[in-house]
């Protein structure tokens, strides 16, 4: 199905196959440029402690310094790995 030369009003929506082909090409272009970012990964306090090489109690005692997100009505704390890495880099320099 050739789409060139059609006016905007007469243009039909893309088929699923056409949309997939375009998406695959966009992903290839982004990967070639190295601009594709992986999704952010959230981890719990135990995993955060393992990631930082400290105890879980250290995590909870330093919540005022460690970036986190509260979920489940504020009871559960989740940590972005990228933010923990930034925190670790900041504390290493001190």
């Amino acid at each position: 199905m050739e789409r060139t030369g059609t006016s905007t009003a007469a243009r039909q929506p893309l088929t699923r196959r056409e949309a997939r082909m375009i998406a695959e090409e966009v992903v290839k272009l982004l990967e070639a440029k190295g601009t594709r970012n992986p999704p952010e990964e959230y981890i719990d306090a135990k995993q955060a402690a393992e990631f930082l090489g400290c105890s879980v109690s250290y995590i909870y005692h330093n919540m005022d310094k460690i970036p986190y997100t509260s979920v489940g009505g504020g009871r559960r704390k989740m940590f972005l790995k990228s933010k923990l890495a930034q925190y670790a880099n900041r504390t290493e320099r001190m």
Side-chain angles (χ1 to χ4, degrees):
M1 177 185 292
E2 186 64 38
R3 295 191 182 277
T4 58
T6 60
S7 70
T8 306
R11 193 173 291 163
Q12 294 185 3
L14 293 174
T15 65
R16 184 172 278 226
R17 183 172 180 263
E18 292 169 326
R20 183 174 289 132
M21 288 172 39
I22 292 170
E24 287 171 357
E25 287 300 315
V26 169
V27 168
K28 285 179 190 175
L29 290 170
L30 290 174
E31 286 175 342
K33 289 186 175 188
T35 57
R36 186 173 180 198
N37 295 329
E40 290 283 350
E41 184 180 355
Y42 281 93
I43 57 176
D44 63 19
K46 183 178 178 183
Q47 293 167 320
E50 291 171 7
F51 182 78
L52 293 175
C54 63
S55 67
V56 175
S57 64
Y58 175 88
I59 297 290
Y60 285 116
H61 284 97
N62 289 282
M63 294 297 285
D64 58 327
K65 300 175 192 123
I66 301 172
Y68 67 92
T69 301
S70 295
V71 294
R75 295 193 55 137
R76 189 164 185 202
K77 311 301 186 225
M78 298 298 289
F79 305 85
L80 275 173
K81 269 191 165 182
S82 61
K83 296 290 184 182
L84 288 174
Q86 290 174 0
Y87 170 78
N89 287 335
R90 277 197 322 264
T91 56
E92 282 179 2
R93 284 186 247 143
M94 293 180 170

